[in-house]
Amino acid sequence: MTIMPTADATTELFARAVTRLTPVMPLLRELGEAFAERGHELALVGGPVRDAFLGRTSPDLDFTTDARPGATERILRGWGDAHWDMGRDFGTIGASRGDTRVEVTTYRADAYDGVTRKPVVAFGDSLEEDLSRRDFTINAMALRLPDLHFVDPHGGLVDLAARVLRTPSPPEVSFGDDPLRMMRAARFAAQLGVHVSAGTHEAMTAMAASIEKVSAERVREELTKLLLADTPAPGLELLVETGLAAYALPELPALRLEIDEHHRHKDVYAHSLTVLEQAIALEGAPSDPPEAVPGPDLWLRLAALLHDIGKPATRRFEPGGGVSFHHHEVVGAKLTAKRLRALRYDKETVKAVSRLVELHLRFHGYGEGQWTDSAVRRYVTDAGPLLPRLHRLTRADCTTRNHRKAARLARTYDALESRIADLQAKEELAAVRPDLDGNRIGEILGVPPGPVIGRAYRFLLGLRLDEGPLGEEEAERRLRAWWAEQPETSPS
């Protein structure tokens, strides 16, 4: 049952919201008066209004007006010192004055062509009509300016108080207009701690396949925002429950491996969500240095979520009832790269996240500390600048309920990090290089730049990792001995 806020409670909430908007109140009144003087309406709408009621400060200020783009542009020219109109076709004009940026959009009555999902813009004439086209009731609230008259035709404040997500129009119509709104519902579940109404959930489930009409770039942006929320798990769970993940991120629901009485093993899906939560807890503060992995960190969170996606493809039932997932980290790295490329993530993100997935099991070869210094050097060198994230991913991957085992793993990793720190202090492992550079290699061997130099460089790098610094004299001796054994220098 939804509990309606009383009149007194609504008044108090509104007062708090206005207080939250105090820093921008002069701007709101000034812009409202500027539009009113020219006979136009202006309202603060959507996220800023919702966040004010939640006691949050919104990073953006979104306005809507009955003025057409040309009229809006003329008004904003008189207000700001710069303006832009890249969104003119969709009714949006932007302007800035100093560090303050605003965007004003003409009332919309959008329609979609139903095939390509490209919006067909039709400008509207009333604020109420504009609000009815918005994604969810909690985003369909507005403050008319400059008098701060609260407009809430679809009960957004009631839904906000109940933490429920509903659409202003029937959800089938809303999601038919733009299927990406279903992804947005999952994002809000993560960001705002809301739950979708029964009808909204049913529509998302029935219409999940329509997300395929949406471009990969738009899906990626919503997924990224979801993952960067304080608590992504509720949003991810909603994607899986409704079937949206089967289209947007199919590797995630595939982790729900069946568990039977004969072949017991961890629920990989639940494990992955737990690893994600634990990785987030290990992130540094936003102002921390890079080595602390300041959060929210997209690479770490993607790697935590996807680190075991190679398990379904590598699962084997062993004699005696055991289950194995041999080389799932290698398979998982390839699947991660493939999925992230399909979602149009940038090359750097694809490379970094798939590398973390590939390396996430490497620590378990450390055993009780038997690694040689050479193995530790290779661990650091293979991770490169991803090492701080790998530390956190590896620690987060421990979800055992056996407290003794968890404590032992933590102590072992503490020991490894201590060894890494000692070697880094002695040898500058973060910038490990052979004792001879490419130019010097060419001089010693008498060969021009090319593949031979590359092979020689890799040979010396291997020596450096295995044995530590050799010194130039010893490195040159070992290089000449290596060169004497190469086919290029062998007698014919």
Side-chain angles (χ1 to χ4, degrees):
M1 182 178 70
T2 300
I3 300 175
M4 297 280 291
T6 64
D8 288 343
T10 300
T11 300
E12 183 179 351
L13 281 171
F14 183 74
R16 290 180 183 175
V18 171
T19 299
R20 178 63 57 173
L21 292 170
T22 296
V24 296
M25 195 58 69
L27 168 66
L28 300 183
R29 294 191 184 279
E30 182 181 4
L31 281 174
E33 290 168 357
F35 276 77
E37 288 173 359
R38 290 161 178 79
H40 292 293
E41 300 175 358
L42 184 72
L44 182 70
V45 70
V49 179
R50 177 202 69 217
D51 287 347
F53 279 111
L54 289 173
R56 297 156 46 115
T57 299
S58 180
D60 303 308
L61 291 177
D62 298 323
F63 299 91
T64 188
T65 179
D66 64 339
R68 292 324 191 235
T72 298
E73 185 175 24
R74 288 190 292 273
I75 295 170
L76 292 181
R77 279 183 181 275
W79 171 83
D81 47 36
H83 78 283
W84 55 94
D85 64 353
M86 286 84 77
R88 177 184 291 273
D89 290 345
F90 299 99
T92 301
I93 303 294
S96 63
R97 186 168 67 186
D99 294 332
T100 302
R101 294 166 56 94
V102 303
E103 288 193 342
V104 182
T105 301
T106 301
Y107 294 154
R108 300 269 289 270
D110 292 9
Y112 293 79
D113 63 16
V115 178
T116 66
R117 309 309 314 141
K118 292 182 179 179
V120 179
V121 177
F123 296 136
D125 296 309
S126 76
L127 175 59
E128 288 75 11
E129 181 185 14
D130 179 87
L131 295 178
S132 71
R133 303 293 302 177
R134 294 183 177 263
D135 53 4
F136 300 104
T137 61
I138 63 173
N139 294 330
M141 301 182 289
L143 287 178
R144 288 189 183 273
L145 302 173
D147 60 355
L148 301 183
H149 175 68
F150 180 50
V151 182
D152 181 21
H154 303 285
L157 187 56
V158 172
D159 288 345
L160 194 61
R163 287 292 198 274
V164 65
L165 206 60
R166 291 188 306 109
T167 55
S169 57
E172 297 81 7
V173 174
S174 182
F175 299 151
D177 282 348
D178 186 0
L180 189 68
R181 289 172 172 173
M182 297 185 289
M183 292 286 297
R184 202 169 295 147
R187 191 240 297 181
F188 287 137
Q191 289 181 332
L192 304 177
V194 297
H195 64 276
V196 299
S197 69
T200 303
H201 194 287
E202 290 173 6
M204 290 173 66
T205 303
M207 303 177 68
S210 65
I211 197 66
E212 292 189 302
K213 297 179 182 178
V214 180
S215 71
E217 289 82 359
R218 294 182 73 206
V219 171
R220 177 201 65 215
E221 288 306 305
E222 284 300 328
L223 179 62
T224 296
K225 291 176 182 178
L226 188 164
L227 286 172
L228 295 180
D230 290 342
T231 54
L236 294 168
E237 289 171 341
L238 182 59
L239 290 180
V240 172
E241 289 171 8
T242 57
L244 278 162
Y247 301 96
L249 191 63
E251 293 79 8
L252 184 59
L255 293 176
R256 295 185 296 180
L257 302 176
E258 69 275 9
I259 300 176
D260 61 54
E261 59 181 344
H262 301 294
H263 301 292
R264 295 177 181 174
H265 56 273
K266 286 183 179 179
D267 181 340
V268 184
Y269 167 68
H271 164 75
S272 297
L273 293 183
T274 300
V275 172
L276 173 59
E277 291 173 348
Q278 294 184 167
I280 291 171
L282 294 173
E283 291 176 340
S287 58
D288 281 351
E291 58 269 22
V293 189
D297 188 89
L298 180 62
W299 291 358
L300 175 60
R301 295 185 181 201
L302 280 168
L305 181 65
L306 303 176
H307 75 285
D308 274 347
I309 64 171
K311 281 191 170 181
T314 59
R315 182 176 58 161
R316 297 291 182 272
F317 295 121
E318 304 292 350
V323 180
S324 66
F325 304 96
H326 296 310
H327 306 301
H328 77 267
E329 73 281 12
V330 177
V331 174
K334 294 178 181 178
L335 292 174
T336 295
K338 181 179 180 181
R339 176 52 50 196
L340 296 184
R341 282 194 293 266
L343 287 168
R344 304 293 192 269
Y345 276 100
D346 60 273
K347 291 181 179 179
E348 190 178 15
T349 296
V350 174
K351 181 178 179 180
V353 177
S354 58
R355 186 60 167 160
L356 285 169
V357 171
E358 182 181 2
L359 294 174
H360 84 272
L361 282 186
R362 182 76 65 85
F363 158 71
H364 294 283
Y366 189 68
E368 295 298 327
Q370 298 95 330
W371 276 5
T372 62
D373 284 351
S374 170
V376 175
R377 291 188 194 99
R378 289 185 180 276
Y379 186 78
V380 174
T381 304
D382 287 349
L386 296 173
L387 184 62
R389 292 181 175 90
L390 182 59
H391 285 331
R392 285 155 179 79
L393 176 61
T394 301
R395 289 183 180 275
D397 194 24
C398 176
T399 60
T400 178
R401 296 180 182 178
N402 185 321
H403 297 298
R404 183 175 299 178
K405 181 179 179 183
R408 177 175 55 79
L409 287 170
R411 288 195 302 271
T412 304
Y413 206 83
D414 288 342
L416 174 58
E417 286 200 58
S418 179
R419 286 186 65 186
I420 289 172
D422 288 344
L423 284 171
Q424 284 177 326
K426 294 175 184 176
E427 304 179 16
E428 298 182 356
L429 287 186
V432 65
R433 297 288 187 275
D435 296 88
L436 304 173
D437 64 18
N439 291 331
R440 182 64 181 137
I441 291 171
E443 292 174 3
I444 293 170
L445 301 184
V447 297
V452 170
I453 299 291
R455 282 166 45 210
Y457 186 93
R458 289 190 292 274
F459 165 72
L460 291 175
L461 179 59
L463 291 179
R464 173 69 172 79
L465 291 172
D466 288 339
E467 303 179 28
L470 299 174
E472 288 192 19
E473 184 176 341
E474 176 63 13
E476 180 176 343
R477 186 188 72 78
R478 302 281 283 274
L479 175 63
R480 291 185 182 279
W482 171 83
W483 181 237
E485 298 175 355
Q486 300 308 300
E488 293 90 336
T489 56
S490 300
S492 57

